[in-house]
Amino acid sequence: MPTIDRDEDRLAILIDADNANAGHIEDLMVEVAKYGKAGVRRAYGDWTSTRLGSWKSVLLTHSIQPIQQFSYTTGKNATDSAMIIDAMDLLYSERLDGFCIVSSDSDFTRLAARIREQGLTVYGFGERKTPKPFVAACDTFVYVENLRPAPEASTSPEPDRLVKDAELDRLLGEAFEGAVGDDGWARLSDVGSNLSRLASDFDARTWGFSKLRNLLQAHPRYQVKSRSSGPNKTAQAYVRTT
């Protein structure tokens, strides 16, 4: 993924505690810090339930405000409704640049789309089981399984696996074609931007790489090198097909 300077973006983190794992929150907060500063941090659930006991220390450690929502009716998700209402209130407060919605629940699909319609950025965080409509409704979607990936190998791990992945092949090909210049080279940052637009959940960590550059360097069909456009210009990474 491309590195984007969003240190000053004001974010709200809204967590569906009924549908999220407290064990991922520490790594999630580190990930959120890449996108901006989270001034609003709220977790929604029935905190009278022993089922959410693992959250208590997490809330204190990361200064997350618990929002109590009793389960009034069996089969109805009152937590989702409370999150959506608060999100809309925050949306119209005009003091935020984006939202981080932490859930694997498709019920937040329309909320994410509505926030984007208002011009704010939506970051989704959920498990791989998250329904595709919710993933697609976010500007960026991060699978929590990727937040603490296995150590990356020093050599190219399973290059054949990369070549045989049809979806990866399609995404890389379309992203490259949209950025390539007349000389056959494309700026790596432009390829990364195209990938983000093509698939909100594209993440090099899904294939075991910490960065897009490392993934492309391991891919047999691509070559990456640093180039400078002038003697006083900072070198940038470029990619081409082999």
Side-chain angles (χ1 to χ4, degrees):
M1 300 294 288
T3 300
I4 302 173
D5 185 9
R6 287 184 172 138
D7 290 344
E8 300 304 317
D9 276 10
R10 301 161 298 174
L11 306 176
I13 303 177
L14 305 182
I15 303 170
D16 177 6
D18 291 334
N19 194 262
N21 188 331
H24 293 298
I25 298 303
E26 182 174 352
D27 294 319
L28 187 148
M29 297 301 291
V30 173
E31 185 77 12
V32 169
K34 299 177 183 178
Y35 305 118
K37 183 177 181 180
V40 178
R41 305 178 184 186
R42 301 177 184 175
Y44 298 76
D46 185 355
W47 301 105
T48 64
S49 171
T50 57
R51 189 170 57 85
L52 298 182
S54 61
W55 280 90
K56 292 182 179 179
S57 61
V58 173
L59 298 176
L60 292 171
T61 300
H62 297 287
S63 189
I64 299 172
Q65 180 184 4
I67 305 297
Q68 173 62 30
Q69 186 61 48
F70 292 103
S71 299
Y72 297 111
T73 307
T74 302
K76 300 291 184 180
N77 199 331
T79 295
D80 290 6
S81 298
M83 273 185 62
I84 291 170
I85 292 171
D86 274 9
M88 296 307 294
D89 286 343
L90 289 167
L91 176 63
Y92 289 108
S93 70
E94 299 184 355
R95 58 189 180 91
L96 293 171
D97 300 300
F99 284 77
C100 301
I101 301 175
V102 185
S103 180
S104 303
D105 194 333
S106 63
D107 287 351
F108 297 106
T109 301
R110 182 63 187 120
L111 173 63
R114 181 66 187 86
I115 293 171
R116 288 181 65 180
E117 288 172 5
Q118 199 66 22
L120 278 69
T121 304
V122 181
Y123 304 97
F125 296 86
E127 298 176 6
R128 293 196 190 280
K129 66 180 182 180
T130 304
K132 286 298 182 182
F134 178 40
V135 173
C138 300
D139 292 283
T140 297
F141 194 92
V142 178
Y143 294 113
V144 293
E145 292 89 344
N146 284 337
L147 293 178
R148 189 174 291 179
E152 190 170 313
S154 57
T155 58
S156 302
E158 302 180 33
D160 289 343
R161 176 173 61 90
L162 300 178
V163 174
K164 294 177 181 178
D165 191 321
E167 180 63 10
L168 175 63
D169 187 60
R170 180 187 70 81
L171 287 171
L172 292 178
E174 292 182 8
F176 174 77
E177 289 301 323
V180 66
D182 293 338
D183 61 354
W185 288 89
R187 193 162 54 181
L188 182 63
S189 60
D190 292 337
V191 175
S193 295
N194 288 345
L195 285 168
S196 297
R197 286 189 283 267
L198 289 168
S200 64
D201 60 342
F202 183 87
D203 192 333
R205 292 173 294 189
T206 297
W207 290 271
F209 298 90
S210 60
K211 299 178 181 179
L212 174 61
R213 177 170 184 159
N214 296 357
L215 187 157
L216 289 171
Q217 286 176 325
H219 200 297
R221 293 179 180 169
Y222 293 92
Q223 177 188 356
V224 180
K225 76 173 185 178
S226 295
R227 298 173 58 192
S228 176
S229 57
N232 298 319
K233 300 290 185 179
T234 302
Q236 298 185 55
Y238 283 77
V239 59
R240 72 174 181 181
T241 55
T242 56

